[in-house]
Amino acid sequence: MSRFTQTSNVRRMIDIPGGLAAAHERYNGAAGRAFVAGLPELAAGFLDRWGLRLDGPSMYGVSALVLPVVVRADGTPAVLKLQLADAETVGEPAALRVWGGDGAVRLLGHDPVTGTMLLERLDPARTLSGLADAREAVGVVAGLLVRLTSFPAPEGMRRLGDIARGMLERTPPVLARIADPAARRLVADCAAEVREVADEPGDRLLHWDLHYGNVLGSARAPWLAIDPKPLSGDPGFELWPALVNRFDADEVRWRFDAMTEVLGLDRGRARAWTSGRLLQNCLWDVESGRGLEERHLEVVLRLREGRG
């Protein structure tokens, strides 16, 4: 069989999930359609180039196609991750190199032109979302954050300070579009808290998106982080996902206290950066025409009750 025939067969074997195509259509328009259309060719090229063979059905997230593979040379199980590079994903390989598998999935290969990565294979069926004890899950996140944020961010990483200033610039017109006075006042207060800490944004390497679905089990460690959207900044900006995942208003203060204690964070600064996460979400929601999420507002209200 010729290499051309083999490659053609591989392209036909690569399933492009409809959900991935729909997400790219929604968020990336023509660029997303072109990316999805080129995925079979792109994947087949890297399977050949890196000596890989398919080893299971396609998986996907909001932006990436993930193919279970085996490295032909030594039988190592891995995954091939193909995604459209953007401001959030471009720093992923650099962050994974810095972490070197300490608390996060290992990077086995990277193509800087396309952003394609070969990653250690974890267990996609075992996510932190499935852990029965919600408090135990919070403890897992806190433990991972201790390890991940112990590293200084490398040069060239997106900076939280820049993101904070951008949010503050976008806030006035968004406030004008929030009809409810109490919600508008809360969002304005969050912006004021961010303004107080924006000049000292920190320099730690942040994951930014450590929700429970981005924590998987593995053979070499109980839990590891995947899919970072890395930043250089203050670890207080990392607490938000564990406060809103499996949301329980009565648990917000306990979760915040537990994480700030484990991470050794200043509670006031951590509250301010958590307010920054609410502000960020509110800006996205209002600018895209969606309503504000009540549970998001409730997180900050509960933390204000626990000031001290």
Side-chain angles (χ1 to χ4, degrees):
M1 184 182 296
S2 70
R3 170 171 287 189
F4 175 80
T5 301
Q6 288 177 324
T7 302
S8 297
N9 289 339
V10 168
R11 284 199 299 266
R12 286 194 292 270
M13 292 169 59
I14 295 170
D15 174 52
I16 308 300
L20 178 65
H24 274 283
E25 174 69 31
R26 177 180 179 184
Y27 294 111
N28 300 309
R33 289 193 297 272
F35 172 73
V36 170
L39 274 173
E41 185 76 26
L42 184 66
F46 276 101
L47 290 171
D48 181 59
R49 173 177 166 184
W50 285 346
L52 312 171
R53 64 173 173 81
L54 291 174
D55 190 40
S58 301
M59 300 178 288
Y60 70 101
V62 173
S63 62
L65 177 68
V66 179
L67 301 176
V69 297
V70 170
V71 180
R72 292 182 186 273
D74 57 14
T76 299
V79 295
L80 185 66
K81 183 176 183 180
L82 305 107
Q83 61 189 0
L84 187 62
D86 59 23
E88 290 187 354
T89 63
V90 70
E92 181 175 356
L96 294 178
R97 286 194 190 96
V98 169
W99 289 323
D102 186 4
V105 65
R106 283 185 174 132
L107 179 69
L108 306 178
H110 171 235
D111 175 59
V113 175
T114 64
T116 301
M117 290 179 287
L118 186 66
L119 301 169
E120 168 187 19
R121 192 191 302 183
L122 307 184
D123 184 355
R126 188 157 66 93
T127 74
L128 202 55
S129 303
L131 197 62
D133 188 330
R135 287 193 171 190
E136 184 181 352
V138 171
V140 170
V141 169
L144 288 174
L145 288 176
V146 167
R147 296 157 69 183
L148 298 177
T149 62
S150 69
F151 294 88
E155 289 294 326
M157 195 62 66
R158 290 187 305 158
R159 297 180 299 181
L160 178 56
D162 295 335
I163 291 172
R165 285 187 287 273
M167 289 194 297
L168 293 173
E169 290 173 1
R170 291 158 56 199
T171 296
V174 165
L175 288 176
R177 294 172 59 182
I178 300 175
D180 180 71
R184 184 169 60 248
R185 185 164 52 251
L186 180 61
V187 175
D189 288 346
C190 287
E193 288 185 75
V194 171
R195 193 171 291 109
E196 291 180 1
V197 296
D199 289 339
E200 296 182 32
D203 65 354
R204 299 292 90 187
L205 180 54
L206 308 184
H207 183 288
W208 183 80
D209 196 26
L210 200 61
H211 60 75
Y212 292 171
N214 275 344
V215 180
L216 301 185
S218 81
R220 70 174 176 88
W223 301 103
L224 293 169
I226 64 167
D227 201 25
K229 308 293 187 289
L231 302 173
S232 171
D234 190 303
F237 200 64
E238 293 277 51
L239 308 184
W240 181 262
L243 299 175
V244 297
N245 284 179
R246 294 165 70 168
F247 179 69
D248 182 338
D250 293 334
E251 286 286 284
V252 167
R253 287 172 59 181
W254 181 90
R255 294 180 185 185
F256 179 82
D257 290 346
M259 288 191 289
T260 53
E261 181 176 355
V262 170
L263 284 152
L265 302 181
D266 177 86
R267 288 167 54 84
R269 290 184 61 81
R271 268 195 302 265
W273 285 119
T274 299
S275 293
R277 292 295 289 266
L278 172 65
L279 177 62
Q280 188 174 55
N281 282 296
C282 289
L283 292 171
W284 287 335
D285 288 342
V286 173
E287 289 170 345
S288 64
R290 298 189 299 268
L292 302 180
E293 289 201 39
E294 290 296 328
R295 65 188 177 117
H296 290 175
L297 302 176
E298 185 69 18
V299 166
V300 171
L301 290 171
R302 292 290 177 131
L303 292 183
R304 290 183 170 211
E305 292 174 0
R307 287 188 178 186

